[in-house]
Amino acid sequence: MKPYRNLTELGQARRLRPLVWNALQQYDLPVARLRLVTNEMNGIFRVDTTRGEKYILRVTLPQGGHTRDHVSAEMDWLRALASDTALNVPRPLAAKDGSLVVEAGGPGVPELRLCAIFSWVPGADLGDHLSTANMAKLGELMAQLHRHALSYRPPDGLELLHFDRVFPFTEPVRLFEERYADLFPPERRAVYEQAIAWVQTAIDRLKASGEPMRILHNDLHQWNVRIWRGRLSPIDFEDLMWGWPVQDIATTLYYHLNDSFFAVRDAFQEGYTRVSPWPERYPGEVGAFLAAQGMMLANFILEDPNPAWKIQAPEFIARIEKRLRGLMDQYG
């Protein structure tokens, strides 16, 4: 049998299918149909039941700190949001034994995978319906998540990631390794190092502020939000971690660093302040975490084994350098 890591994305998805059926045996669901949605990162499958219900089953990729503790915290927060707020979030489905996370294996998949089932969230990607009005709604949505997270606490004993360093995920920092020296000539490396110092200073100021950390979605970009009849629904909470609101805001705004950035930011801020005060303490604080997001993505592209990412790495690293220069010129 061909090693799993050597399979194409579709080939790996075919291997995951028996694993998904094994996971489904742990739920009380009369399955009528199982369909692959995507296997670009996690394995995402649509489950239709004989009762006419629709669910999403996610097979979590065992990378990026997505441990059982991490997925359990994700499920618990979603359950709390569904119970405590009017937000339309994916609702976790409990297995027969009451657990919100199960393990399953399958032939040719080298390890057990964590699996979870969520209610189906209708709509289209917000990324296909961008407007200043919808960006204001997105700001309002993030503020509602932040307000809930202010008093929410995950179950005791769970070890979760903390955004208290420039690279908070579990992957090693690859940026300046010798094998990538050709991607980081001295002038470019100096830009990255200056940006790292800038971000660390911003983190140190947050830690010294006395404001407690709270759970963040940490990936609320326009492709992780669904829009249905004008209403926004957040999805894909798997990168949640402890942090501060300005970090969450920067992660969202990073994907709008183009000619319309200031209009997008102003609309987002207007929506956010409908619910909560804008949390930026000084000019450029969000800018520092825009830089942090760029560098995390640069490190991710070097760490990810996908050959397609490797081909894009030189152009991607250069583009991030240009963004870092622009951010530091404007805010640093």
Side-chain angles (χ1 to χ4, degrees):
M1 183 179 285
K2 192 174 184 179
Y4 184 83
R5 66 179 180 275
N6 295 338
L7 297 171
T8 65
E9 186 177 296
L10 184 56
Q12 291 182 351
R14 291 193 183 104
R15 289 269 182 94
L16 289 178
R17 194 175 177 87
L19 181 150
V20 169
W21 280 111
N22 289 337
L24 284 167
Q25 303 312 305
Q26 302 179 57
Y27 292 85
D28 185 18
L29 280 180
V31 178
R33 189 177 183 188
L34 178 67
R35 283 178 278 178
L36 175 70
V37 176
T38 180
N39 192 38
E40 185 176 354
M41 293 292 290
N42 298 312
I44 306 295
F45 293 81
R46 172 173 161 171
V47 180
D48 292 86
T49 74
T50 58
R51 300 188 293 250
E53 302 156 324
K54 292 186 290 187
Y55 295 94
I56 286 291
L57 186 149
R58 187 187 72 202
V59 184
T60 299
L61 192 69
Q63 296 173 6
H66 299 132
T67 63
R68 177 175 280 275
D69 278 4
H70 193 93
V71 180
S72 296
E74 177 191 2
M75 298 300 104
D76 188 79
W77 193 25
L78 284 171
R79 184 165 58 178
L81 284 166
S83 172
D84 301 342
T85 74
L87 295 175
N88 185 36
V89 298
R91 294 171 178 263
L93 181 69
K96 293 175 184 177
D97 64 0
S99 55
L100 298 178
V101 186
V102 304
E103 282 188 338
V109 181
E111 66 274 291
L112 294 175
R113 297 291 180 93
L114 297 172
C115 300
I117 296 182
F118 310 84
S119 61
W120 179 266
V121 177
D125 287 343
L126 179 61
D128 296 329
H129 298 271
L130 291 178
S131 65
T132 53
N134 283 339
M135 286 306 301
K137 289 180 181 179
L138 182 57
E140 188 172 358
L141 171 61
M142 178 171 281
Q144 290 171 319
L145 292 173
H146 290 171
R147 184 171 62 182
H148 183 268
L150 189 61
S151 59
Y152 168 76
R153 288 294 177 271
D156 291 340
L158 298 183
E159 293 186 10
L160 305 178
L161 299 176
H162 289 66
F163 201 165
D164 57 359
R165 56 195 181 107
V166 180
F167 300 95
F169 290 99
T170 57
E171 295 89 354
V173 180
R174 303 292 190 191
L175 295 182
F176 306 136
E177 290 185 354
E178 182 62 31
R179 58 180 163 156
Y180 298 123
D182 60 322
L183 296 178
F184 292 93
E187 187 175 357
R188 177 176 295 160
R189 176 166 177 160
V191 171
Y192 273 76
E193 289 177 335
Q194 183 181 355
I196 289 171
W198 178 34
V199 175
Q200 189 58 58
T201 297
I203 290 173
D204 292 343
R205 292 180 71 170
L206 279 169
K207 291 164 72 173
S209 72
E211 179 186 347
M213 285 180 153
R214 68 187 79 178
I215 289 293
L216 308 177
H217 182 287
N218 198 47
D219 204 24
L220 197 70
H221 53 64
Q222 60 265 39
W223 302 286
N224 277 342
V225 178
R226 307 288 281 170
I227 182 168
W228 174 252
R229 296 177 179 174
R231 186 183 185 190
L232 302 191
S233 300
I235 62 171
D236 196 359
F237 283 64
E238 73 161 351
D239 282 340
L240 92 174
M241 64 176 64
W242 290 103
W244 290 273
V246 289
Q247 296 170 317
D248 214 15
I249 288 169
T251 299
T252 296
L253 294 181
Y254 178 84
Y255 298 96
H256 302 275
L257 282 175
N258 52 38
D259 293 340
S260 61
F261 173 76
F262 294 104
V264 168
R265 182 203 61 189
D266 291 348
F268 182 91
Q269 183 172 345
E270 191 276 323
Y272 190 99
T273 54
R274 295 172 191 168
V275 177
S276 295
W278 189 243
E280 191 174 23
R281 289 180 173 78
Y282 55 87
E285 186 176 30
V286 168
F289 293 107
L290 290 170
Q293 180 67 12
M295 291 188 290
M296 280 188 275
L297 291 173
N299 192 65
F300 170 80
I301 204 170
L302 298 180
E303 172 68 16
D304 193 279
N306 189 327
W309 285 115
K310 299 299 184 188
I311 294 171
Q312 299 176 42
E315 188 276 333
F316 192 84
I317 297 296
R319 185 164 73 247
I320 297 298
E321 177 198 2
K322 183 178 179 180
R323 286 185 170 177
L324 295 177
R325 288 179 181 275
L327 288 166
M328 289 189 290
D329 286 346
Q330 183 174 356
Y331 299 114

Short mmCIF file of all heavy atoms in Angstrom, two decimals, residues 132-141 143-144 147 267-278:
data_model
loop_
_atom_site.label_atom_id
_atom_site.label_comp_id
_atom_site.label_asym_id
_atom_site.label_seq_id
_atom_site.Cartn_x
_atom_site.Cartn_y
_atom_site.Cartn_z
N THR A 132 -18.82 47.21 2.20
CA THR A 132 -18.60 47.90 3.47
C THR A 132 -19.68 47.53 4.49
O THR A 132 -19.40 47.41 5.68
CB THR A 132 -18.58 49.42 3.24
OG1 THR A 132 -19.78 49.82 2.54
CG2 THR A 132 -17.37 49.84 2.43
N ALA A 133 -20.91 47.32 4.00
CA ALA A 133 -21.98 46.94 4.93
C ALA A 133 -21.71 45.59 5.56
O ALA A 133 -21.90 45.39 6.77
CB ALA A 133 -23.32 46.93 4.20
N ASN A 134 -21.23 44.64 4.76
CA ASN A 134 -20.95 43.31 5.31
C ASN A 134 -19.70 43.31 6.18
O ASN A 134 -19.61 42.52 7.12
CB ASN A 134 -20.83 42.29 4.18
CG ASN A 134 -22.19 41.88 3.63
OD1 ASN A 134 -23.21 42.04 4.29
ND2 ASN A 134 -22.20 41.36 2.41
N MET A 135 -18.73 44.17 5.88
CA MET A 135 -17.56 44.26 6.76
C MET A 135 -17.95 44.86 8.11
O MET A 135 -17.41 44.48 9.14
CB MET A 135 -16.46 45.09 6.11
CG MET A 135 -15.73 44.38 4.98
SD MET A 135 -15.05 42.75 5.44
CE MET A 135 -13.95 43.18 6.79
N ALA A 136 -18.91 45.77 8.10
CA ALA A 136 -19.41 46.28 9.38
C ALA A 136 -20.10 45.17 10.17
O ALA A 136 -19.93 45.06 11.39
CB ALA A 136 -20.37 47.44 9.13
N LYS A 137 -20.86 44.33 9.47
CA LYS A 137 -21.48 43.19 10.14
C LYS A 137 -20.42 42.25 10.70
O LYS A 137 -20.60 41.66 11.77
CB LYS A 137 -22.39 42.43 9.17
CG LYS A 137 -23.66 43.16 8.78
CD LYS A 137 -24.49 42.31 7.81
CE LYS A 137 -25.75 43.02 7.38
NZ LYS A 137 -26.55 42.19 6.43
N LEU A 138 -19.32 42.08 9.96
CA LEU A 138 -18.25 41.20 10.45
C LEU A 138 -17.61 41.79 11.71
O LEU A 138 -17.29 41.05 12.66
CB LEU A 138 -17.20 41.01 9.35
CG LEU A 138 -16.05 40.07 9.68
CD1 LEU A 138 -16.55 38.68 10.06
CD2 LEU A 138 -15.07 39.98 8.51
N GLY A 139 -17.41 43.11 11.74
CA GLY A 139 -16.90 43.73 12.96
C GLY A 139 -17.83 43.53 14.13
O GLY A 139 -17.40 43.24 15.26
N GLU A 140 -19.12 43.66 13.88
CA GLU A 140 -20.11 43.44 14.93
C GLU A 140 -20.07 42.00 15.42
O GLU A 140 -20.13 41.73 16.64
CB GLU A 140 -21.50 43.79 14.40
CG GLU A 140 -22.59 43.80 15.44
CD GLU A 140 -23.90 44.33 14.89
OE1 GLU A 140 -23.94 44.74 13.71
OE2 GLU A 140 -24.88 44.34 15.66
N LEU A 141 -19.95 41.07 14.49
CA LEU A 141 -19.87 39.65 14.86
C LEU A 141 -18.65 39.37 15.73
O LEU A 141 -18.75 38.69 16.75
CB LEU A 141 -19.81 38.80 13.58
CG LEU A 141 -19.51 37.31 13.75
CD1 LEU A 141 -20.59 36.63 14.59
CD2 LEU A 141 -19.38 36.63 12.40
N ALA A 143 -17.02 41.44 17.64
CA ALA A 143 -17.22 42.05 18.97
C ALA A 143 -18.14 41.19 19.84
O ALA A 143 -17.94 41.08 21.06
CB ALA A 143 -17.79 43.45 18.82
N GLN A 144 -19.15 40.57 19.23
CA GLN A 144 -20.03 39.69 20.00
C GLN A 144 -19.27 38.46 20.50
O GLN A 144 -19.48 38.01 21.64
CB GLN A 144 -21.21 39.27 19.12
CG GLN A 144 -22.18 40.40 18.82
CD GLN A 144 -23.22 40.02 17.78
OE1 GLN A 144 -22.91 39.36 16.78
NE2 GLN A 144 -24.46 40.41 17.99
N ARG A 147 -17.13 39.68 23.37
CA ARG A 147 -17.92 39.95 24.58
C ARG A 147 -18.25 38.65 25.30
O ARG A 147 -18.17 38.57 26.53
CB ARG A 147 -19.20 40.70 24.20
CG ARG A 147 -20.04 41.12 25.41
CD ARG A 147 -21.16 42.04 25.00
NE ARG A 147 -22.09 41.41 24.06
CZ ARG A 147 -23.14 42.03 23.51
NH1 ARG A 147 -23.37 43.31 23.77
NH2 ARG A 147 -23.94 41.39 22.68
N ALA A 267 -15.00 50.39 8.11
CA ALA A 267 -16.32 49.74 8.18
C ALA A 267 -16.33 48.68 9.28
O ALA A 267 -17.29 48.59 10.06
CB ALA A 267 -16.67 49.12 6.83
N PHE A 268 -15.27 47.89 9.33
CA PHE A 268 -15.17 46.85 10.36
C PHE A 268 -15.19 47.49 11.75
O PHE A 268 -15.89 47.03 12.65
CB PHE A 268 -13.87 46.07 10.14
CG PHE A 268 -13.66 44.93 11.10
CD1 PHE A 268 -14.11 43.65 10.80
CD2 PHE A 268 -13.00 45.13 12.30
CE1 PHE A 268 -13.92 42.60 11.68
CE2 PHE A 268 -12.80 44.08 13.19
CZ PHE A 268 -13.26 42.81 12.87
N GLN A 269 -14.42 48.57 11.93
CA GLN A 269 -14.37 49.24 13.23
C GLN A 269 -15.72 49.83 13.60
O GLN A 269 -16.14 49.75 14.77
CB GLN A 269 -13.29 50.33 13.21
CG GLN A 269 -13.12 51.04 14.54
CD GLN A 269 -11.92 51.99 14.54
OE1 GLN A 269 -11.07 51.92 13.65
NE2 GLN A 269 -11.85 52.86 15.53
N GLU A 270 -16.42 50.40 12.62
CA GLU A 270 -17.74 50.96 12.90
C GLU A 270 -18.69 49.88 13.40
O GLU A 270 -19.44 50.08 14.36
CB GLU A 270 -18.28 51.61 11.63
CG GLU A 270 -19.53 52.46 11.86
CD GLU A 270 -20.81 51.62 11.83
OE1 GLU A 270 -20.89 50.68 11.03
OE2 GLU A 270 -21.73 51.91 12.63
N GLY A 271 -18.64 48.70 12.76
CA GLY A 271 -19.48 47.61 13.22
C GLY A 271 -19.08 47.10 14.59
O GLY A 271 -19.95 46.81 15.44
N TYR A 272 -17.78 46.98 14.82
CA TYR A 272 -17.30 46.48 16.11
C TYR A 272 -17.79 47.38 17.25
O TYR A 272 -18.24 46.90 18.31
CB TYR A 272 -15.77 46.43 16.10
CG TYR A 272 -15.16 45.71 17.28
CD1 TYR A 272 -14.73 44.39 17.17
CD2 TYR A 272 -14.99 46.34 18.51
CE1 TYR A 272 -14.16 43.72 18.23
CE2 TYR A 272 -14.43 45.68 19.59
CZ TYR A 272 -14.01 44.37 19.45
OH TYR A 272 -13.46 43.70 20.52
N THR A 273 -17.71 48.71 17.04
CA THR A 273 -18.05 49.64 18.13
C THR A 273 -19.56 49.75 18.35
O THR A 273 -19.98 50.44 19.29
CB THR A 273 -17.44 51.02 17.84
OG1 THR A 273 -17.85 51.48 16.55
CG2 THR A 273 -15.92 50.97 17.90
N ARG A 274 -20.38 49.09 17.53
CA ARG A 274 -21.79 48.98 17.86
C ARG A 274 -22.00 48.12 19.10
O ARG A 274 -23.03 48.22 19.78
CB ARG A 274 -22.56 48.35 16.70
CG ARG A 274 -22.61 49.15 15.41
CD ARG A 274 -23.24 48.32 14.30
NE ARG A 274 -23.07 48.92 12.97
CZ ARG A 274 -23.33 48.29 11.84
NH1 ARG A 274 -23.78 47.03 11.86
NH2 ARG A 274 -23.15 48.90 10.68
N VAL A 275 -21.02 47.25 19.37
CA VAL A 275 -21.15 46.29 20.45
C VAL A 275 -20.19 46.59 21.60
O VAL A 275 -20.56 46.52 22.78
CB VAL A 275 -20.88 44.86 19.92
CG1 VAL A 275 -20.94 43.83 21.05
CG2 VAL A 275 -21.87 44.51 18.82
N SER A 276 -18.93 46.92 21.26
CA SER A 276 -17.90 47.10 22.27
C SER A 276 -16.97 48.23 21.86
O SER A 276 -16.83 48.52 20.67
CB SER A 276 -17.06 45.81 22.44
OG SER A 276 -17.84 44.76 22.95
N PRO A 277 -16.28 48.84 22.82
CA PRO A 277 -15.27 49.85 22.48
C PRO A 277 -14.14 49.22 21.66
O PRO A 277 -13.79 48.06 21.86
CB PRO A 277 -14.77 50.34 23.84
CG PRO A 277 -15.84 49.96 24.81
CD PRO A 277 -16.45 48.69 24.29
N TRP A 278 -13.59 50.00 20.74
CA TRP A 278 -12.46 49.54 19.94
C TRP A 278 -11.27 49.29 20.87
O TRP A 278 -10.89 50.15 21.65
CB TRP A 278 -12.13 50.59 18.90
CG TRP A 278 -11.13 50.19 17.86
CD1 TRP A 278 -9.91 50.74 17.65
CD2 TRP A 278 -11.29 49.18 16.84
NE1 TRP A 278 -9.28 50.15 16.57
CE2 TRP A 278 -10.11 49.18 16.05
CE3 TRP A 278 -12.31 48.29 16.52
CZ2 TRP A 278 -9.92 48.32 14.98
CZ3 TRP A 278 -12.13 47.43 15.45
CH2 TRP A 278 -10.95 47.45 14.70
#
